[in-house]
Amino acid sequence: MIQFKNVSKKYDNGTHALKDINLTIEKGEFVFVVGSSGAGKSTFLKLMMREEVPSSGTIVVDDIDLTKIKKRDIPKFRRRLGIVFQDFRLIPNMTVFDNVAFAMRVIGTKEKKIGRRVPYVLSLMGLNEKARNFPQELSGGEQQRVALARALANNADIIIADEPTGNVDPQMSYEIVDLLMRLNEAGTTVIMVTHEHSLVRCFDKRVIILDKGNVVSDGGSLVREAATSHINPVSEIEHRYDVPPEEDYSAYTQGTSAQAEEFAVTGGAE
Amino acid sequence: MGNLRYLTKEGFRNLKVNKLMSVASVTVLFSCLMLIGIAFMILVNIQSFISGIEAENVIMVYADLDASDYEYMALGNELNALDNITSVEAVEKEAAYEEILAEMDENLRIYLSGLDENPLPDAYRVTVTDMSRFENVVNEIKKLDGIERVYENSSLAKQLEGIRDSVTYISLGIIILLLIVSLFIISNTIKVTMFSRRLEISIMKSVGATNSFIRWPFMVEGIIIGVIAGILATGAVWAVYEFALTSFTSVLTGLGSGVQVSFLDYALYLVAAFVGIGIFTGIFGSATSIRKYLKERKFVELED
Ligand SMILES: Nc1ncnc2c1ncn2[C@@H]1O[C@H](COP(=O)(O)OP(=O)(O)OP(=O)(O)O)[C@@H](O)[C@H]1O
Ligand SMILES: [Mg+2]
């Protein structure tokens, strides 16, 4: 469970990135976080992973109060999360394989297990052929998928993904969300930030909309919103996306749950 | 622990990946250590030169040039009868002459062998037991008959003793200064390395690596750099020292000391010290300079 209570974040330069946020994300939930650029989405996630600290308020993740956590407990806390960073954060002098493996080595996984698991998560992302390449040799979309593979490597309880589909084509975007969805079905909490409302619409999940540091809407899936309401809080933003959702994503809306099971069984590091 | 093996391997890999930085660090450390080593060898030589002279608790007693064999033997007996004497050794002029010739330069030898007569007197080499009564013995000997000359080093040794102390302090000062300079340069080199890799460090942190997990490869790197620089520096000091010995050997023997310090007597200490310094600076340099990049943000509630 992730709980934000009266959380505000003001950066040192005076930017008020989040204002009095109150919300709870239950264990096993799937949440989209949307909002325009600069709305505070990344800040929201950074607070959740204890990369930033709030200026006031409290954040509790699985009974750990992030404002009170001891420094030496932070690494252990972060290992519960599978994080896809907006800027990928791949280690430049490590190969794709080692970047993914690193997240597993950090938690002390045996090399033998790493040797089995890494190729598997890379194959999920269609990256097997790039295993020996270095990040700068990859396209933006490929780097993004490596970042995602790394986040999946440890079978984390919570996946926090900051625009994991920002650099890939619509089909790949759909497949990525579909994969996250299947992980979610297997019990993983997923928090995914995205710009793409068209994508969000394909999935009937909770959507938190941030605007200028405030939560302007929380709860309704955009599927329902679109169906039941004339007031679409994001209609204005949505126009900027040149991919009409129905045409690009509807074809992919059938995921196979067999794959999800396989993913969970092939197993991560416990 | 498999993890330790991985982290060590990672240290080696980092060295290879950051080739330029590794070479720079080794070079810097190597230069500093070499200077320290050279200063040390100079100190050791001066020390040994002076104590070599001091340790010559030997009095050369030269018999009169025209003394007969009988007179020469009588002198020997008288010397033996003196107090505080460990040994009296006869140095017959033929033997002494041969010895000197053997040590001499080729040209000089040819010139000297042209002389008909041995220019040296017969002599006795007297060794003193108690150095504090050295002067007494010398005075006793001087009272004996049939002596051409008494030769001893004590006054020179006394003068040199004062010089030795100041030389020791000055060299130690120089060595310490060089050490401080090295530490300074090395820690700066490491700081630059860390700075260039701060991104890598922050990424490691963000996927949940503990500080020690991040630090270990850096330390391995530091240790390897230290070991390589230490071994290279020892080799370099050796080479420089041997070169200096062959160039200055004639000067040193001219000063009256045939005692040369062999580098190999000190090689082990130097390697140990250098590798030790290298490892120390590697570990502490990386441990302290990485701290900055391992910091976590602190939660401080602000009043709004
Ligand atoms: N480290 C920082 N220091 C100061 N201001 C920051 C910092 N990070 C973000 N901000 C500011 O905080 C606000 C919210 O930033 P944030 O990165 O959370 O936006 P975002 O919703 O993720 O935007 P985008 O969709 O472009 O990624 C912005 O105005 C941004 O300029
Ligand atoms: Mg962002």
Side-chain angles (χ1 to χ4, degrees), chain A residues 117-267:
Chain A
R117 177 72 176 168
V118 175
Y120 176 66
V121 285
L122 286 178
S123 73
L124 282 179
M125 293 294 125
L127 282 170
N128 265 345
E129 265 139 54
K130 303 286 180 184
R132 289 163 173 279
N133 287 72
F134 287 92
Q136 71 267 21
E137 298 164 353
L138 304 182
S139 73
E142 286 165 340
Q143 291 182 33
Q144 186 151 45
R145 282 181 278 150
V146 177
L148 194 62
R150 182 179 62 191
L152 302 182
N154 284 334
N155 254 349
D157 298 334
I158 304 173
I159 287 187
I160 297 176
D162 199 345
E163 304 234 21
T165 60
N167 288 271
V168 296
D169 58 58
Q171 166 157 5
M172 183 60 80
S173 293
Y174 182 83
E175 282 171 8
I176 285 173
V177 181
D178 190 52
L179 175 71
L180 291 175
M181 208 64 85
R182 281 183 277 131
L183 286 174
N184 175 248
E185 277 162 27
T188 311
T189 310
V190 179
I191 297 125
M192 172 176 159
V193 162
T194 181
H195 271 116
E196 299 172 76
H197 292 85
S198 45
L199 185 60
V200 171
R201 264 174 208 238
C202 300
F203 300 90
D204 183 14
K205 293 291 176 187
R206 175 177 173 190
V207 181
I208 296 171
I209 302 171
L210 286 176
D211 186 36
K212 298 194 188 84
N214 296 298
V215 176
V216 294
S217 157
D218 181 3
S221 90
L222 293 193
V223 176
R224 258 176 281 142
E225 291 266 349
T228 60
S229 165
H230 296 294
I231 313 143
N232 187 341
V234 288
S235 58
E236 181 193 332
I237 305 164
E238 177 184 346
H239 288 308
R240 287 195 268 121
Y241 298 90
D242 39 349
V243 186
E246 289 74 19
E247 276 167 38
D248 282 82
Y249 295 107
S250 54
Y252 316 119
T253 43
Q254 270 99 49
T256 59
S257 54
Q259 263 174 291
E261 270 160 38
E262 185 200 348
F263 183 83
V265 170
T266 316

Side-chain angles (χ1 to χ4, degrees), chain A residues 50-57 67 74-75 78-79 85 89-91 93-94 102 105-106 108 150, chain B residues 3 6 10 13 17-18 199-200 203-210 213 296-302 304:
Chain A
R50 187 59 177 71
E51 187 168 305
E52 292 289 350
V53 287
S55 313
S56 63
T67 55
I74 294 175
R78 286 199 184 120
R79 293 176 199 175
F85 296 93
R89 302 211 189 161
L90 302 176
I91 298 170
N93 65 31
M94 282 187 193
F102 185 79
R105 290 181 175 131
V106 156
R150 182 179 62 191
Chain B
N3 228 333
Y6 162 73
E10 191 60 17
R13 194 186 65 85
V17 172
N18 305 293
L199 170 72
E200 191 182 328
I203 296 172
M204 291 176 173
K205 282 181 65 64
S206 60
V207 296
T210 55
F213 192 89
E296 290 288 350
R297 282 182 207 287
K298 254 210 220 87
F299 173 67
V300 190
E301 188 127 17
L302 298 174
D304 254 321

Side-chain angles (χ1 to χ4, degrees), chain B residues 68-80 124 144-145:
Chain B
S68 66
D69 281 358
Y70 175 75
E71 281 167 324
Y72 177 60
M73 274 168 64
L75 177 60
N77 288 337
E78 284 177 79
L79 288 172
N80 259 322
Y124 283 105
L144 299 175
D145 283 336

Side-chain angles (χ1 to χ4, degrees), chain B residues 262-299:
Chain B
S262 159
F263 179 79
L264 292 177
D265 291 345
Y266 289 90
L268 218 63
Y269 297 112
L270 272 187
V271 174
F274 283 0
V275 170
I277 292 172
I279 290 176
F280 174 86
T281 49
I283 290 180
F284 285 86
S286 48
T288 50
S289 56
I290 201 173
R291 260 216 310 259
K292 191 160 128 199
Y293 304 109
L294 292 175
K295 273 203 191 108
E296 290 288 350
R297 282 182 207 287
K298 254 210 220 87
F299 173 67

Side-chain angles (χ1 to χ4, degrees), chain A residues 11 13 15 17 36-43 86 163 195:
Chain A
Y11 282 108
N13 65 3
T15 310
S36 52
S37 184
K41 305 182 295 296
S42 295
T43 304
Q86 190 169 12
E163 304 234 21
H195 271 116

